[in-house]
Amino acid sequence: MSGRLSVVGLGPGGDPWLTHEASTLLGEAEDIFGYGPYLARLTLSPHQRAHASDNREERARAEAALALAAAGAKVAVVSGGDPGVFAMAAAVVEAIEAGPLEWRALPLQVSPGISAMLGAAARLGAPLGHDFCAISLSDNLKPWAIIAQRLKAAAEGDFVIALYNPASKARPDAVVDAFALLRALKHADTPVALARAVGRSDERILLTRLADVDTGLIDMATLVLVGSSETRFVERPGQPTLMLTPRTYGARR
Amino acid sequence: MSGRLSVVGLGPGGDPWLTHEASTLLGEAEDIFGYGPYLARLTLSPHQRAHASDNREERARAEAALALAAAGAKVAVVSGGDPGVFAMAAAVVEAIEAGPLEWRALPLQVSPGISAMLGAAARLGAPLGHDFCAISLSDNLKPWAIIAQRLKAAAEGDFVIALYNPASKARPDAVVDAFALLRALKHADTPVALARAVGRSDERILLTRLADVDTGLIDMATLVLVGSSETRFVERPGQPTLMLTPRTYGARR
């Protein structure tokens, strides 16, 4: 069997945040599967075939990619950000687990990417400088009770919280409910960043505090960062304000 | 003022996981500060100066880099993995906050990198496919009570847990105490991965279960991943076993 499959992270923006390994794997692939807008970011050679699918068809995309690799092709599946974080790597491994035995024999390479929270954190300075957690607000695949339990645990643990998929079409009120829950558990002055389209030309970063967050500004392209009790803003004349979660806990200025 | 400062993530391994932006920024820098072993990974031009320092001198390194940038130099500070995750970005922003006003006026660019947990997750398949948190076990900078509170919250929230700095010299028993705490709160069969030196030539991945973890195998180069109640292994004939946290919660096979 000569076929193989790679799952390649594109990072949250354009080429600057692509890794060298990702560029190499994309260049070697004969068939590239992905969500249409991600494929549109790539420059393909004439011998490469793009297979675009909708964002909701991750499992079917994974199965089609595995079937083609099992037939002998060099296949890549692309993912925005990091493929391991709420993205295509899990869909591919789930498909391998449930699929025919020959899929398990395929060489599989997951190539990491800059996840959205790392891109947003880079723009903001150092909001993830201390312990943090990442929670997807999409409840397509998990009940709201689990999301609420995790938000509560994240608040009790005083983690910085990164919220992914905050405006799922399946549950548009999730972000409203999530902020209601967080406001009941955390200080009103907790710093919050809404980082939209990070790394893209329409990037927009908004800094606010927990009591003032306008959830109407949060869409599916937004990564939300909610600070810990230690997180603070550092203002700079003529430069963007920074968001800092210091390395030292319990040593307020 | 013509000086500027970048804080550049090198990723956990060698060049393949470096981003294009990181390569560009390293090429443009006149002075590069960092922990000696990270600087040793770079190929510098004759016009570039390397300023190596010990791993425990992060704040002093940040201050020296800022002072040189304020004097007009193009300065880069390098960080293993992602500079925003338990690394140099927070040290730099803390130094800016506490330093002279001119440091706040400097252009600052944080360039994200592949954090160790993303590199480890890529090697393992998809252990971070669902909600997760990252906790540093180093208590140089925070009391053990906070670490314990966060481990407890992470277990109660049923997050996948990534443990950074698991074998701090300042508290070598931290990892033993952390596993004792996790074993009391989570199922004995919970999948655990010890991912050592990921992306380097001496990379070594060990898969086990919570009850069987040998903490003697965990050193400072090890990233520890502890699964959620949903995490499982997927065995493959002739290929490495995968670790999967599925996207769907509560749908056991």
Side-chain angles (χ1 to χ4, degrees):
Chain A
M1 186 189 300
S2 64
R4 52 188 160 95
L5 180 66
S6 60
V7 186
V8 180
L10 302 181
D15 284 349
W17 286 349
L18 204 63
T19 68
H20 296 286
E21 179 179 271
S23 295
T24 300
L25 290 170
L26 292 172
E28 292 171 352
E30 297 163 342
D31 290 86
I32 306 183
F33 288 76
Y35 177 46
Y38 295 147
L39 290 177
R41 282 166 50 183
L42 307 178
T43 306
L44 300 186
S45 302
H47 73 280
Q48 294 183 303
R49 286 173 296 275
H51 305 258
S53 48
D54 187 81
N55 214 5
R56 303 207 166 208
E57 296 168 4
E58 293 184 342
R59 178 64 171 267
R61 181 190 307 147
E63 292 170 348
L66 283 159
L68 198 56
K74 294 180 182 64
V75 179
V77 176
V78 298
S79 208
D82 179 85
V85 176
F86 310 122
M88 283 305 297
V92 167
V93 178
E94 287 168 33
I96 289 172
E97 183 185 48
L101 196 58
E102 61 174 355
W103 289 2
R104 298 195 184 214
L106 279 172
L108 171 70
Q109 179 173 8
V110 178
S111 184
I114 303 298
S115 191
M117 65 180 167
L118 301 189
R123 288 291 195 254
L124 290 160
L128 301 179
H130 211 282
D131 305 331
F132 61 91
C133 60
I135 300 174
S136 170
L137 289 187
S138 169
D139 70 350
N140 288 344
L141 302 166
K142 65 181 162 182
W144 172 255
I146 294 294
I147 299 175
Q149 175 192 332
R150 286 181 171 163
L151 289 169
K152 187 163 171 287
E156 286 171 354
D158 196 22
F159 288 95
V160 175
I161 304 170
L163 299 177
Y164 280 76
N165 305 319
S168 164
K169 278 182 193 164
R171 188 185 161 95
D173 291 340
V175 69
V176 177
D177 296 345
F179 272 98
L181 195 156
L182 290 173
R183 283 180 180 129
L185 295 169
K186 292 173 70 74
H187 198 285
D189 287 333
T190 303
V192 173
L194 309 182
R196 189 179 179 285
V198 168
R200 300 190 338 221
S201 58
D202 54 339
E203 175 177 310
R204 188 194 66 202
I205 309 267
L206 182 71
L207 303 181
T208 182
R209 62 185 200 116
L210 185 55
D212 297 334
V213 170
D214 177 359
T215 56
L217 297 176
I218 298 171
D219 65 10
M220 275 304 260
T222 306
L223 190 286
V224 179
L225 286 175
V226 180
S228 74
S229 66
E230 299 282 317
T231 306
R232 56 206 187 221
F233 292 127
V234 179
E235 294 185 359
R236 298 185 298 164
Q239 298 287 350
T241 296
L242 300 171
M243 186 172 179
L244 168 66
T245 307
R247 301 164 302 148
T248 307
Y249 193 91
R252 301 291 290 188
R253 293 143 297 170
Chain B
M1 187 187 303
S2 64
R4 52 187 159 93
L5 181 66
S6 60
V7 186
V8 180
L10 301 181
D15 283 351
W17 286 351
L18 203 64
T19 69
H20 297 287
E21 180 180 270
S23 295
T24 301
L25 290 170
L26 291 173
E28 291 171 353
E30 297 163 341
D31 291 86
I32 305 183
F33 287 75
Y35 176 46
Y38 296 148
L39 290 177
R41 282 166 50 182
L42 307 177
T43 307
L44 301 186
S45 303
H47 73 280
Q48 295 183 302
R49 285 172 297 275
H51 305 258
S53 48
D54 187 80
N55 212 8
R56 302 200 167 214
E57 297 167 2
E58 294 184 341
R59 179 63 171 269
R61 181 190 306 148
E63 291 170 347
L66 283 159
L68 198 56
K74 294 179 182 64
V75 179
V77 176
V78 298
S79 207
D82 179 84
V85 176
F86 309 122
M88 281 306 298
V92 167
V93 178
E94 287 167 32
I96 289 172
E97 184 185 48
L101 195 60
E102 62 175 354
W103 289 2
R104 297 194 185 217
L106 278 172
L108 172 70
Q109 179 173 7
V110 179
S111 184
I114 304 298
S115 190
M117 66 181 168
L118 302 188
R123 289 290 195 253
L124 291 160
L128 301 179
H130 212 282
D131 306 330
F132 61 91
C133 59
I135 300 175
S136 170
L137 289 188
S138 169
D139 69 352
N140 288 344
L141 302 165
K142 65 181 163 182
W144 173 255
I146 294 295
I147 299 176
Q149 176 192 333
R150 285 179 174 165
L151 289 168
K152 185 163 173 283
E156 285 171 354
D158 196 21
F159 289 95
V160 176
I161 304 170
L163 298 178
Y164 281 74
N165 305 319
S168 164
K169 278 182 194 164
R171 188 185 160 94
D173 291 341
V175 69
V176 176
D177 295 345
F179 272 97
L181 196 156
L182 290 172
R183 284 181 180 128
L185 295 169
K186 293 174 69 76
H187 198 285
D189 287 332
T190 303
V192 172
L194 310 183
R196 189 179 180 284
V198 167
R200 302 196 327 226
S201 57
D202 53 339
E203 174 177 311
R204 186 194 68 202
I205 309 266
L206 181 72
L207 303 180
T208 182
R209 60 184 201 117
L210 185 55
D212 297 333
V213 171
D214 176 358
T215 55
L217 298 176
I218 299 171
D219 65 9
M220 275 304 261
T222 306
L223 190 284
V224 179
L225 286 174
V226 180
S228 75
S229 66
E230 299 282 317
T231 305
R232 57 206 187 220
F233 293 127
V234 179
E235 294 184 359
R236 298 186 298 163
Q239 297 287 351
T241 296
L242 300 171
M243 186 173 179
L244 168 66
T245 307
R247 301 165 302 150
T248 307
Y249 193 92
R252 302 289 292 190
R253 291 141 299 172

